[in-house]
């Protein structure tokens, strides 16, 4: 055998980074460093030494045999090589064949044996992946990592794929600000040439921005510039902020913020020379350094407008420009002016008006002259309206909100109004915008509305058990886009030992596809008013209401609407006879005059209307605009109740900039009774028809916690007529009966500021606010109070107490005589003493109650959640305060 021909050409995949690291799952485990890539090599014994003589002559391949293959066909392996029977070859050809086998990444061991032209290709195939396992990932869940991994079960294991997957995982952690994260891949050998690939992840700490350095700033301090940046330095004050982590995208954004800040302050030549982020040696923190050049500060020079549109009068537009000569230059103001001119052009039908500001910089005088050139463009007409993305909502529900029709002249106001109306539906994503695209000709435009539907159903469900309520269940469901037709369907059920109600309602906003809304509801409400005495809950009165209501609404103009309604209610108000009756009659000495006047069965026939004006940009979350409504309800067209109830409310919303929204609102109402005269001890407006104020309208006060009320003190001292009440602390209401009386008139005002949060908090649906609430309810006839502890008989001014005849119901005073045990004398024969108490009247005043506080709305995973913390700055004696309140529901 020729010594050269018998050389054994052999190549082996060198997974040199796979290190033995113990045992995993009872199989040996090898450690992989994916960053190391060692090319397959030929053992020195397999490579002939350099020839000192002439190279041997080429030989001819007599045969090619493949051995060691298990899954791959021999012909498949040969297809990767350039070796063919009958072909002449030499060492270079065999060396190339080894390289071709290595390039396939299908084999972990391979060699070529040459026996005088009989070539034997011996291979050991790479294993098949059984599983890909992630370990150590806590901050980044598997559903975020798995899509980035290319290795998968039943694939052939290759080192290049491992390296690529390691790089992808590390890149994911870098995006999360974890630059110290490491990934160590390991391979667990199994039987049948299978392996488990395990990525051991060490996430490391989140890389923070330790320091921000700014070089070259003379006009503004470091603190002023850092306040403009989205990235913040890590400190105790920013421990809860998500902007302290390093983000390359945020770094680029901060450069734009710096440039905008300087341009808004007149520094037209400002530029960021460099922005460098250096990772500390422990890979846990970044130090960011900005080098800036401020340049000179400029003022506005001559400002002019030139227009090639016949509807645009340059002289008139020039007067409307917000900037004036010698004002400090402001690039943001220029940008806003271009947008304003574009919108103005859109009002005249020019959808694609070319507004081009021409700048003339004068370094000597440091002025910036600007000419706004309005280029010629054709008047535009709406060619087509496209609605995309609506899977549930019918097209017509969206199209009927358009203020433009196909074929109409384009109008930017109509487009903006359409956007506001669609956003106000609440069916789609927030801040929807209508895209404008060029049509088939230059004077045609396509309005494309790409919507993303969101849940429009609201479900609220709660159940529980308490010693007072026993079992309680509350459930309500509302679908604001029923069947995708924009109809509203709602139902609610409330059940407990003290409250039971059921209500069904339906509203059709476009009757027969006309802009006329119609709706109605039927209901039955069994509600109990209650109070507590010594932590025992006691029902004061029970009101059962059964009725229905019909509604009709028509638009008068784009912003004005008129609504009409009719309702018919049957009320039955009763009291517990064992507590509040003497014989067959309500006892005003025990129940109080107002409760006795409220009992009975009544029918209320109510006809009402509402006039409303509303031009807010969004009815759900307005940022600008105003609304006003005035409504009246007339009770007396039949039925046994007669009054006129009037209400008015108004709101105004301001965009303060930087996403701060100021909301102002005010409302008030008055009930005027007619028919009959009140008795000296009662009011013509019954208790159940009056206005009440408290939570949730006035935060900082409890339900019905504001306004006229009677507090009856049961804990009294009969031997001290001058000061009989033992506990007058209104914050400790145990042992007292507290009855809210309501009032004929009320008013309420609110100032609230919505506070913007960062992107992360916004994505979570958090919307905090601070507020100030003002209001009062008043105007009810003062009740006749019964005093049974301050025993002064008006006829002789002697200290006495009241006794009652159990048979006749008559009462009389008896003189109080204290004995040695502080007991009073017995009543006359046939009479028994009544339990002593003292009643006092509070709160009937127009003087305002004031509360301040903060709250947050959260679109949580389980539904909308609102929490408020409020403090009453001003209150009246008798008011019932409450600092903390929340409510929750869910969406579907």
């Amino acid at each position: 055998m020729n010594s050269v021909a018998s050389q054994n050409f052999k190549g082996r995949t060198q997974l040199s980074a796979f290190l033995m690291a113990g045992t995993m799952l009872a199989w040996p485990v090898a450690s992989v460093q994916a960053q190391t890539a060692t090319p397959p090599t030929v053992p020195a014994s397999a490579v002939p030494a350099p020839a000192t003589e002439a190279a041997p002559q080429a030989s001819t391949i007599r045969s090619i045999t493949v051995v060691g293959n298990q899954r791959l066909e021999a012909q498949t392996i040969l297809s990767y090589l350039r070796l063919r029977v009958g072909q002449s070859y030499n060492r270079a050809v065999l060396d190339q064949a080894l390289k071709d086998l290595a390039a396939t990444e299908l084999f972990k061991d391979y060699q070529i044996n040459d026996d005088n032209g009989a070539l034997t290709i011996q291979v050991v195939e790479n294993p098949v992946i059984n599983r890909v396992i992630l370990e150590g990932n806590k901050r980044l869940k598997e559903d975020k990592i798995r899509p980035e991994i290319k290795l998968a079960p039943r694939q052939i294991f290759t080192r290049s794929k491992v390296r690529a997957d390691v790089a992808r995982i590390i890149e994911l952690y870098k995006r999360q600000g974890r630059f110290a994260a490491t990934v160590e891949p390991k391979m667990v050998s199994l039987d049948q040439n299978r392996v488990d690939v395990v990525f051991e992840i060490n996430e490391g700490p989140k890389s923070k921005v330790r320091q921000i350095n700014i070089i070259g700033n003379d006009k503004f301090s470091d603190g002023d510039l850092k306040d403009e940046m989205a990235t913040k330095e890590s400190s105790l004050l920013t421990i809860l902020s998500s902007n302290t982590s390093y983000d390359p995208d945020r770094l680029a954004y901060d450069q734009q913020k710096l440039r905008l800040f300087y341009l808004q302050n007149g520094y037209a030549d400002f530029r960021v020379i460099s922005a460098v982020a250096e990772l500390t040696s422990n890979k846990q923190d970044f130090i960011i350094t900005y080098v800036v050049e401020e340049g000179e500060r400029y003022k506005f020079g001559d400002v002019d407008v030139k227009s090639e549109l016949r509807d645009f009068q340059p002289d008139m537009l020039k007067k409307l420009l917000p900037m004036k000569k010698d004002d400090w230059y402001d690039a943001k103001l220029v940008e806003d002016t271009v947008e304003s001119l574009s919108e103005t052009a859109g009002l005249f039908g020019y959808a694609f008006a070319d507004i081009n500001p021409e700048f003339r910089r004068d370094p000597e005088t440091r002025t910036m002259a600007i000419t706004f050139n309005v280029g010629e463009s054709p008047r535009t007409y709406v060619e087509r309206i496209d609605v995309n993305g609506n899977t549930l909502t019918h097209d017509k529900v969206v199209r009927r909100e358009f203020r433009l029709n196909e074929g109409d002249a384009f109008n930017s106001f109509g487009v903006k109004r359409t956007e506001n109306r669609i956003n106000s539906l609440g069916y789609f994503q927030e801040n929807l915008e209508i895209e404008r695209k060029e049509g088939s000709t230059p004077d045609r435009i396509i309005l494309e509305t790409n919507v993303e539907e969101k849940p429009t159903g609201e479900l609220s469900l709660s159940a529980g058990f308490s010693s007072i309520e026993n079992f309680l269940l509350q459930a309500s469901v509302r679908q604001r886009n029923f069947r995708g037709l924009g109809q509203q369907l709602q139902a609610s059920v409330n059940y407990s030992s003290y409250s039971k109600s059921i209500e069904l309602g339906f509203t059709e906003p476009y009757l027969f596809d006309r802009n006329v809304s119609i709706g109605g509801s039927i209901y039955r409400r069994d509600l109990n008013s209650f109070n507590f005495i010594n932590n025992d809950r006691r029902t004061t009165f029970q009101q059962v209401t059964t009725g229905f209501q019909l509604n009709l609404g028509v638009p008068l103009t784009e912003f004005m609407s008129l609504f009409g309604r009719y309702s018919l209610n049957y009320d039955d108000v009763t009291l517990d006879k064992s507590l509040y009756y003497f014989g067959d009659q309500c006892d005003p000495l025990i129940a109080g005059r107002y409760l006795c006047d409220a009992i009975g069965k009544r029918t209320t026939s109510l006809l009402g209307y509402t006039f409303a004006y509303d031009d807010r940009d969004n009815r759900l979350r307005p940022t600008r605009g105003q609304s006003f409504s005035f409504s009246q309800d007339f009770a007396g067209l039949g039925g046994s109740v007669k009054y006129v109830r009037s209400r008015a409310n108004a709101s105004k919303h301001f965009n303060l900039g930087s996403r701060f929204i100021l909301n102002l609102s005010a409302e008030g109402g008055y009930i005027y009774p007619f028919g009959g005269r009140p008795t000296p001890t009662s009011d013509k407006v019954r208790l159940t028809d009056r206005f009440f104020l408290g939570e949730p309208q006035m935060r900082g006060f409890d339900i019905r916690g504001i306004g006229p009320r009677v507090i009856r003190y049961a804990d009294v001292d009969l031997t001290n007529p001058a000061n009989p009440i033992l506990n007058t602390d209104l914050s400790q209401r145990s042992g007292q009966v507290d009855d809210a009386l309501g009032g004929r008139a009320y008013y309420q005002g609110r100032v609230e500021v919505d506070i913007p949060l960062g992107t992360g908090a916004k994505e979570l649906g958090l919307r905090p606010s601070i507020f100030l609430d003002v209001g009062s309810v008043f105007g009810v006839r003062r009740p006749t109070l019964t005093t049974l502890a301050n025993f002064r008989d008006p006829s002789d001014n002697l200290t006495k107490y009241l006794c009652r005849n159990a048979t006749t119901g008559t009462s009389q005073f008896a003189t109080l005589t204290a004995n040695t045990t502080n007991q009073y004398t017995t009543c006359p024969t046939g009479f028994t003493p009544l339990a002593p108490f003292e009643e006092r009247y509070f709160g009937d005043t127009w003087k305002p109650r004031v509360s301040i506080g903060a709250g947050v709305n959260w679109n949580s995973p389980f539904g909308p959640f609102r929490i408020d913390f409020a403090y009453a700055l001003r209150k009246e004696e008798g008011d019932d305060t409450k600092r903390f309140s929340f409510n929750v529901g869910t969406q579907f």
Side-chain angles (χ1 to χ4, degrees):
M1 180 181 296
N2 187 297
S3 61
V4 176
S6 64
Q7 288 288 345
N8 194 25
F9 289 88
K10 181 179 181 181
R12 184 180 301 275
T13 55
Q14 298 293 326
L15 295 178
S16 60
F18 274 73
L19 306 175
M20 296 304 296
T23 302
M24 179 181 295
L25 301 178
W27 285 287
V29 179
S31 173
V32 179
Q33 291 290 345
Q35 293 82 356
T36 303
T38 304
T41 62
V42 181
S45 60
V47 180
T52 58
E53 301 175 356
Q57 298 294 323
S59 303
T60 302
I61 299 175
R62 295 184 295 108
S63 65
I64 303 175
T65 305
V66 179
V67 297
N69 55 312
Q70 297 178 355
R71 295 183 306 274
L72 297 174
E73 297 291 338
Q75 292 299 325
T76 302
I77 297 175
L78 291 175
S79 67
Y80 295 119
L81 306 177
R82 306 175 188 179
L83 301 177
R84 299 293 183 268
V85 176
Q87 172 187 341
S88 51
Y89 71 98
N90 54 24
R91 294 173 185 171
V93 173
L94 295 182
D95 184 63
Q96 182 61 45
L98 289 174
K99 293 179 180 179
D100 292 341
L101 286 174
T104 64
E105 294 189 332
L106 297 174
F107 312 104
K108 65 179 179 181
D109 194 7
Y110 46 87
Q111 63 185 19
I112 301 176
N113 296 320
D114 181 15
D115 187 7
N116 291 326
L119 303 182
T120 301
I121 302 173
Q122 185 173 347
V123 298
V124 178
E125 296 176 349
N126 271 338
V128 175
I129 298 173
N130 178 56
R131 291 184 302 167
V132 178
I133 303 171
L134 300 174
E135 291 184 353
N137 56 308
K138 297 179 180 179
R139 301 293 182 179
L140 208 57
K141 301 303 181 183
E142 287 202 14
D143 59 347
K144 301 294 184 182
I145 301 177
R146 289 284 180 185
E148 298 295 326
I149 295 178
K150 302 305 179 183
L151 288 177
R154 296 184 296 277
Q155 286 186 354
I156 302 298
F157 173 85
T158 65
R159 290 168 301 158
S160 62
K161 291 182 179 179
V162 173
R163 286 194 298 269
D165 285 347
V166 168
R168 291 189 187 98
I169 295 173
I170 290 177
E171 181 61 29
L172 285 178
Y173 277 99
K174 286 183 177 179
R175 295 176 190 172
Q176 297 290 322
R178 299 181 182 275
F179 285 80
T182 59
V183 180
E184 185 178 2
K186 293 185 178 181
M187 183 176 69
V188 182
S189 298
L190 306 175
D191 57 356
Q192 299 179 354
N193 199 23
R194 296 176 301 128
V195 293
D196 285 342
V197 179
V198 182
F199 291 101
E200 291 188 353
I201 302 172
N202 180 9
E203 296 179 317
K206 203 165 189 178
S207 300
K208 301 290 186 179
V209 176
R210 179 189 299 177
Q211 186 175 348
I212 299 177
N213 299 320
I214 304 175
I215 300 174
N217 56 309
D218 296 325
K219 307 300 182 183
F220 297 97
S221 67
D222 287 3
D224 292 336
L225 299 183
K226 290 177 183 179
D227 288 341
E228 296 296 320
M229 298 179 186
T231 303
K232 303 299 180 184
E233 291 177 330
S234 178
S235 66
L236 292 177
L237 298 177
T238 58
I239 190 172
L240 299 178
S241 174
S242 61
N243 290 344
T244 57
S245 60
Y246 172 72
D247 186 344
D249 294 334
R250 195 184 296 133
L251 183 66
Y253 175 71
D254 285 339
Q255 295 180 58
Q256 296 299 322
K257 291 279 287 183
L258 284 176
R259 176 171 172 76
L260 179 61
F261 174 73
Y262 270 94
L263 290 178
Q264 285 181 288
N265 285 278
Y267 294 90
D269 296 327
F270 172 83
R271 64 191 182 102
V272 178
I273 298 176
S274 66
V276 179
E278 298 176 289
L279 187 61
T280 56
S281 58
N282 59 4
K283 295 185 179 181
Q284 293 186 5
D285 295 309
F286 276 88
I287 297 176
I288 301 176
T289 302
Y290 294 94
V291 179
V292 301
E293 182 180 328
E294 293 178 321
E296 298 293 338
R297 193 178 189 187
Y298 284 73
K299 292 185 176 182
F300 281 111
D302 293 328
V303 182
D304 198 6
V305 178
K306 294 183 179 179
S307 174
E308 297 182 12
L309 298 178
R310 62 178 183 178
D311 298 303
F312 265 40
Q313 300 299 325
D315 294 338
M316 182 63 67
L317 292 175
K318 184 177 179 180
K319 296 178 181 179
L320 300 177
L321 294 179
M323 69 281 293
K324 304 300 180 184
K325 187 176 180 179
D326 293 330
D327 290 346
W328 289 114
Y329 174 74
D330 186 343
K332 183 64 168 58
L333 192 60
V334 175
E335 182 181 343
D336 293 342
T337 302
V338 171
E339 183 177 351
S340 177
L341 290 174
S342 298
E343 290 295 322
T344 304
L347 294 176
F348 293 93
Y350 299 98
F352 303 108
D354 181 20
I355 313 296
N356 181 28
E358 179 184 343
F359 298 91
R360 298 184 301 278
R361 188 193 314 252
D362 189 343
E364 294 183 0
T365 60
R366 291 196 291 274
T367 59
M368 183 76 72
I370 302 177
T371 300
F372 294 94
N373 296 309
V374 183
E376 184 177 2
S377 61
R379 192 182 297 273
T380 314
Y381 297 87
V382 179
E383 178 178 346
R384 193 172 72 248
I385 296 175
D386 294 336
V387 179
N388 306 318
N390 51 316
T391 56
L392 172 67
T393 307
H394 291 211
D395 271 12
K396 69 176 184 179
V397 174
V398 181
R399 290 180 178 274
R400 66 194 182 195
E401 302 300 328
F402 270 80
R403 302 297 94 182
L404 295 172
N405 295 316
E406 294 173 346
D408 288 351
F410 175 81
N411 185 287
S412 59
F413 172 80
V415 174
K416 187 62 178 178
R417 179 60 182 163
T418 299
E419 291 175 348
N420 293 341
R421 290 180 65 91
I422 296 177
N423 283 322
S424 296
L425 293 175
Y427 306 160
F428 311 111
Q429 78 275 19
E430 296 182 12
N431 301 323
L432 175 143
E433 293 185 0
I434 299 174
E435 297 184 19
R436 308 173 189 180
K437 296 186 175 181
E438 295 184 0
S440 57
T441 59
D443 63 342
R444 295 290 184 266
I445 187 174
I446 298 174
L447 300 179
E448 184 174 272
T449 308
N450 297 306
V451 302
E452 180 182 342
E453 292 189 305
K454 66 180 184 181
T456 55
E458 298 174 4
L459 174 64
S460 176
L461 179 64
S462 63
F465 183 86
S466 71
S467 59
I468 297 175
E469 292 277 2
N470 295 326
F471 179 77
L472 56 94
L473 172 67
Q474 293 178 336
S476 65
V477 60
R478 183 172 71 143
Q479 175 55 259
R480 293 181 289 108
N481 190 15
F482 182 58
R483 299 188 302 156
L485 295 173
Q487 300 166 339
Q488 181 170 301
L489 180 67
Q490 59 185 10
S492 64
V493 175
N494 181 5
Y495 177 84
S496 72
S497 300
Y498 289 89
S499 178
K500 304 174 184 66
S501 67
I502 184 171
E503 183 171 355
L504 298 173
F506 177 80
T507 300
E508 168 57 69
Y510 278 78
L511 182 64
F512 306 124
D513 291 330
R514 302 282 184 178
N515 198 3
V516 177
S517 65
I518 189 171
S521 61
I522 56 175
Y523 44 83
R524 178 180 173 88
R525 306 184 184 110
D526 184 351
L527 304 176
N528 297 339
S529 182
F530 61 89
N531 54 39
F532 289 90
I533 297 181
N534 294 325
N535 294 323
D536 293 328
R537 177 170 176 169
R538 187 175 73 171
T539 300
T540 54
F541 68 89
Q542 182 182 44
Q543 179 180 3
V544 178
T545 302
T546 305
F548 69 89
Q549 178 170 304
L550 298 176
N551 305 288
L552 182 69
V554 294
L556 302 178
T557 66
E558 178 63 27
F559 301 110
M560 290 189 294
S561 301
L562 182 65
F563 301 92
R565 58 187 168 274
Y566 175 77
S567 61
L568 182 64
N569 297 325
Y570 176 75
D571 294 319
D572 186 7
V573 180
T574 59
L575 292 174
D576 188 342
K577 292 185 178 181
S578 64
L579 291 177
Y580 299 107
Y581 274 59
F582 183 83
D584 294 330
Q585 300 293 325
C586 177
D587 189 346
L589 294 177
I590 301 176
R593 173 60 59 188
Y594 278 89
L595 282 181
C596 289
D597 290 340
I599 63 175
K601 298 178 180 180
R602 297 177 177 85
T603 301
T604 304
S605 178
L606 201 65
L607 182 65
Y609 74 91
T610 297
F611 171 80
Y613 175 88
D614 190 345
D615 68 351
R616 295 173 295 175
D617 60 344
N618 190 316
R619 295 179 183 176
L620 302 179
R621 296 188 182 96
T623 61
R624 59 173 59 89
Q626 53 271 324
S627 67
F628 170 80
S629 69
F630 178 78
S631 63
Q632 286 188 305
D633 293 287
F634 301 89
L637 301 177
S640 53
V641 179
K642 302 181 185 300
Y643 63 79
V644 177
R645 181 172 57 203
S646 302
R647 287 183 176 178
N649 64 68
S651 67
K652 179 74 174 179
H653 309 273
F654 301 90
N655 190 334
L656 303 179
S658 301
R659 296 188 291 120
F660 283 89
I661 307 299
L662 172 63
N663 305 292
L664 305 177
S665 63
E667 63 177 286
Y670 184 78
I671 298 179
Y672 178 78
F674 59 90
R677 292 186 176 182
T679 65
T681 60
S682 66
D683 195 283
K684 291 175 63 176
V685 180
R686 60 179 180 152
L687 179 71
T688 54
D689 290 328
R690 298 178 198 143
F691 295 115
F692 291 88
L693 196 60
E695 186 190 357
Q697 303 97 329
M698 279 283 293
R699 292 161 290 189
F701 295 87
D702 207 347
I703 299 174
R704 297 187 174 188
I706 295 175
R709 63 201 325 103
V710 171
I711 297 180
R712 177 178 296 185
Y713 301 87
D715 193 5
V716 297
D717 182 5
L718 295 177
T719 64
N720 186 16
N723 189 19
I725 302 175
L726 295 178
N727 183 10
T728 59
D729 186 359
L730 293 178
S731 65
Q732 304 294 329
R733 305 213 174 194
S734 61
Q736 305 170 9
V737 177
D738 185 353
D739 290 331
L741 304 180
R744 291 191 186 185
Y746 85 101
Y747 68 87
Q748 181 193 0
R750 175 176 299 171
V751 179
E752 189 162 9
V753 178
D754 294 338
I755 302 174
L757 294 179
T759 304
K762 185 178 180 181
E763 290 176 354
L764 290 176
L766 293 174
R767 293 186 297 110
S769 64
I770 56 175
F771 57 82
L772 182 146
D773 290 346
V774 179
S776 181
V777 59
F778 54 95
V780 66
R781 181 180 291 274
R782 183 184 181 93
T784 299
L785 301 181
T786 304
T787 302
L788 297 181
N790 191 9
F791 301 102
R792 297 286 181 181
D793 187 347
S795 61
D796 55 14
N797 200 30
L798 296 176
T799 303
K800 300 178 180 181
Y801 64 95
L802 194 64
C803 299
R804 168 170 285 166
N805 189 299
T807 302
T808 64
T810 59
S811 59
Q812 70 179 57
F813 283 100
T815 302
L816 176 65
T817 304
N819 55 27
T820 57
T821 59
N822 290 328
Q823 299 295 320
Y824 49 86
T825 58
T826 58
C827 292
T829 303
F831 287 76
T832 57
L834 294 179
F837 60 84
E838 171 79 4
E839 285 185 340
R840 294 189 178 179
Y841 182 59
F842 299 99
D844 188 11
T845 175
W846 60 268
K847 295 181 179 179
R849 281 70 157 179
V850 181
S851 66
I852 60 172
V856 61
N857 277 310
W858 177 31
N859 289 333
S860 67
F862 47 86
F865 182 91
R866 173 78 191 188
I867 184 171
D868 290 296
F869 181 84
Y871 177 76
L873 288 179
R874 190 183 188 282
K875 60 181 181 178
E876 294 293 325
E877 188 178 9
D879 290 346
D880 195 1
T881 60
K882 182 179 181 181
R883 293 190 178 182
F884 178 79
S885 63
F886 71 93
N887 58 72
V888 66
T890 189
Q891 294 182 337
F892 62 94

